Structure formats: structure tokens, C-alpha cells
Amino acid sequence: MTAELVRGQNHTLPQTRLEIRVSAGTPVVAGATLGDERGTVRGAEWIAHPGSPQLPGLEVSQQAAADHRLAVDLEALPAGAHRVTVLLALPVGAGGPARFGAVPAPFVAVTGLDGAEIATFTLTGLDAESAVSALELYRRQDAWKVRAVGQGYAGGLAEMLADQGVAEATGLAGSIQEAVTRGLARSVAPPPRTQGGDRVRHATGSADHRPPTPPPAPEPPEPLADPATTPQPHTAPGPAAGGPIDYAHPRRQHAAPPSPPPTAPAPQPGQAAQPVAGDATGWSMDERLYNQIWGMFEDLARAVAAYRSAVDFAESRMDQELDRALSDPRNRIGGAGDRAREGARAKRDELTSRAREVLDRDLAQLAAEAAVVEPALPAAYAGWGNPVWHAHRVPMEIPMALRVGDLHLPERTDLRIPLLVRLPLERGIWVDSGRTASEAAAPMDTDRLRRLAMETAVAHAARLLAVYPPGEFSVHVIDPAGAAAAPLAPLVDAGVLAGPPAAGPGGVASVLAHLTRRVDLVQMAVRAGAADSLPPDLDTGEQLLVVNDFPHGFDDRAVTQLRYLADEGPAVGVHLLMVADREEARAYGPVLDPLWRSLLRITPVADSHLADPWVGHAWTYEPLAVPPGSRVLEQVLTAVAAARRAVGR
């Protein structure tokens, strides 16, 4: 259970490898000092700060930011270090606030490596101070503890370092602030805010994950993982209750590329800015929309995290007030106890109501943005109900990403965020046809669920065929028992498959041998730098293998080949789209665990099985469905077939 500390309170640490997270409403400098048994800092070599961010067992951020994560390994600290003090300071000369009394109360959390909070502390009561000792980790009788300090210094870093016995504290504080200033000079400020803390869009956009220089941009992190098969990453606490929500995120903090996005009319005074489709920066409209969608995803995650954190804080505060009020036996009966309970509950309700008002405001803003963005999406990002599919033409270039479903949170289920995966696919997809791993699927008939799973796979295969240039994407199907004839009919009737669906052990072996040979040949050619030596009959386009009802029809050799394709195939253009029930493959035991982990698991029905690596929400995944009575899937496949014939494929 998380210990919510107040100033001066301590708590035993159950482990020595920790993460300290700082959340503030404005950029702050985060650092740490090491102290001996008396708390004295021996010199500059015992101070971790943006200009020197790493010490043995300790690492801090390299520049000022609203959110920080400090890594601590207490067993790896230098000999003689008995105390770690976490320091926060406001940047000097950055044009920001000059005292902590003008910013929201910083929130500090000590967590384990699994993201579980051990202790938290909200630094309230600060006023003229510009630097503060937030908390300290200290050794007491061979055990480590954390203490909430909250000691502020109006004289800033210099006064704080001098208080810890640092010689030449003024010069060292100046060098730290110089390092922070250099870091701020290399970055671009987050988007400006209205008085309510909302995002304000610029005509040139507010960020992009790619800098305006020619080198390629780093790939954004994989946004989602299945908690059933993937270790949970660290999660960040929401902002302190009552503080504004920080909407700045990594892909909206860099200089904009030359091509500006569309602009919206300037809002009237007191009027919120109108959302615009494509207002994130990027080198093309598709990239701007891609960045905007991920910005909306992160904004929704952060807003809900702030709300849930505020509700948890309100509940915890009520419990603490009740404990204090009822600790005196005289107050447990009679009117005093009743008044204490009513007062505590009233404060809880007030805090929760205020948090909900802020959340509703943020959700309304995101809903308005989604209503503008959705109709503007290209086919690759659009749902089947979007009119763009009715006028779709097979493109001549591969799009940046593909939509594979929608995501939403229970706080507002009608606010859907498209789930986009980058192209070419970096990992395979597993459509789970089992009933045991999903609450929504549990009451369904097994045959109906398997049919829905295969229909989902067919729809994804059709989308991939439709967004690739003609002849550059081929689909192979393995249906060992021929049980998916009806769901496969749109692909078969349109004539867009590389060959008839493979059935029986012979068909399974033939398709797997063909694709395994392709992976081997392309890998050898790439390693030898001899791509022109590939056999002329080898299809160098992207390949998708759709497997139905795995592991039926697969012997040990076929299973090994499938695992090989899942591991090695994506790097050379061979991708896996598998429909399977993991329970039916349990006879293989842990042998197939790497296969399941390598695939993105989706479901044919709505299910809350995806977790984001940012704040750890359980997102509900909604599969893309063709509108009832619509022939859009058949129309798209007909267009794909016509385009393939036009290029002789």
C-alpha cells in the first residue's frame, strides 16, 4: 500500500533499486546530493545535477522539465554515502516563475522498478522559496528509509547547497544553472496555454518527433502492450490534485518542419481555440495527422490519470481525517463523531467534484478535436464507416501507419482514439479467438467467436492490400481444416490472394517452406550486400501470412517454422496475422511463449486488455467493424484487384 507522507514523516523502503518521480506544473531542475552519516556533502563529486547527471548508483535528468524520473540503486552508492537528498529548484533567467508559491505544489513519488508506488509526498506550503529539499533516502541500522523533508530556501540552490556543507556553494549553483540554461536553449518551449491550462495551437504546429534536419527521426515508442504477455513498464503519477494538466509531450516539443499545417481563425478573447485537423507538425499531412492522433492519445491518458490521482487523493485525505478525528475515543460516539464523518465526506465530495469538472472540460476539448480529425483522416487511418473508403484509390506510396482499431477509457466511452501501427509492420498480429482470456468473449458461442476472429483478420488483410501500392503486398492463407471458407470469401472472390488457401498438412508445409526460403534468401542477400543476386522468381514485395485455427494442422516442424517467421520475418518483409486460441496450444507449454509475446494481441470483440507504457491505463480495444449492410469491403478489394491487373500482377 502506498504511504502518503507528510513533512517529517518517514517510511521503510522494501527494496534498494528505486525510481523517484517528480511531477510539477512548470519546468523545474531536479538533482540529488549524497551525504555521509552526518548529512554532509563531501564535494561537487557527490552532487548529481543536469551538468553532471550520473553518479554511482544515481542518475538524474539532464535539463529542466515539468516531469522527472530519477534512478537510484542504493547498493551501488559510493562507500561512505548514507543519505540521498532529492533537490528541486526553479530555473534562473528562463522567464518562468521565480518562487514555488507561484506554481502548483510539486508531487514526488518513490516507486519500485515495476512502477508500484512505495511512498508519495506533495510539497505544500511553499511561498518565496526557489529551491527545496524534497525528500531524503537515508540508512538507519542497515535499513533504508525515506523521509519527507519539504525544506525550502528563498536563497535558491546556493543557500540549499551551503546548508548541506558544500564549499563554494555559490559557484557550483551558478554552474548548475548555466547547464540548465544551455539545455533550455537547445529546446523549444511547450505550447502556450490559456489561463485554464488548455493547449493552444500555433499555425506552425507545436511539436514533432522529427527534427527539421535531414537525419532520420527516432521511432516513437510502442504505445501498447498486452499485460498478460508483457512485463508492465514504469508508470508515472498524475499531477498533484488541484494543479493544471501538462499537455506537453515529446512529439510536440521540437522545432516544426518547413511545411505548416492548416490554420484556424484566431479565437475571440475568452473563447477557446477551435481544433484543426493536422495541426501537429510533420513533413506531410499524413505525418501531421499521425502525430496529432498520438498527441490526443497522450492528452487523454494524462487527463484521466490526473483525475484518478485526484480522486485517490480525496479518498486518502478523507480516511486520514477520519482516523485523526476518531482516534480520540470520546469522538467515536455522539454528535462529534457524526460531524467529523460528514465533514470529511463533504471535503472528499468537493475535491472529487472539482476534479470531475476539470476532466469533463478536458474531455470535451478532446471530443471536439476528434470530431474534426476523424473526417479528415486518409484511408489508412480511417474506419470502415468513413466516406473516404468509398472513393479510395490504391496509392503509389506506402502510408506511414495503419489503423487496426480504436481505444477508449471508461471515463468517456464515446471518445475513441484510433490505434495506429507503423508500416511496414514491425511485429505480427494475433487475433485471439479464445474465450478464457476475455470477459466480453466468455459468454459467446465458440464457433461464432472464431468466425468473428477470422472476419477481423480478413478485414485487416484487406486494409493492408488497399494501402500498399499494387503488386507490392501479397497475402498467403493457411486454413488447415478449411473451416474459414465463408470469412475468406471476400479475398478469394476478388482474386487478391497469392494462391488458394492452403489446407491439410501438405498445404501447411508448402506455404511455410516457401516463406521460410524467402526469409533465408533475403537475409543472405542483405548480409552479403548482394540484393541483385536474388532469384528472378522471388517476390521481393511485402508478404502477409494469415493463419487460421492455429495450432491445428501444425506438426513440430511447422511450429518451428512459424516461430522463425514471427521472429525473423518482419525485418525482411514477411509478416504474420494469426487467428488462434492460446488455450488450444497449451500442450506446447512454454515453447510457444516467445511466439505469443512477439505478436500484438487484439480481439474480435471489445476488450480491456491493452496497457499503455506511459501511465498504465487499461484501454478498451474496439475492433474495426464494417457497417451493417455495407459493401465497402468488397468494393475496396475489387479496386485492389483491378489495380493489380493494371500492373500485370
Side-chain angles (χ1 to χ4, degrees), residues 446-465:
T446 300
D447 292 338
R448 180 169 177 263
L449 187 61
R450 288 178 176 174
R451 180 186 176 96
L452 285 175
M454 195 59 193
E455 289 175 350
T456 301
V458 168
H460 287 312
R463 292 176 73 87
L464 285 164
L465 284 166

Side-chain angles (χ1 to χ4, degrees), residues 164-218:
Q164 296 188 29
V166 178
E168 302 295 333
T170 301
L172 180 57
S175 65
I176 293 174
Q177 291 289 3
E178 288 177 3
V180 173
T181 302
R182 289 194 299 269
L184 290 173
R186 292 191 298 268
S187 66
V188 175
R193 303 172 179 277
T194 63
Q195 293 182 353
D198 299 333
R199 304 181 270 161
V200 175
R201 308 293 195 173
H202 277 307
T204 58
S206 50
D208 181 33
H209 71 285
R210 184 166 68 182
T213 51

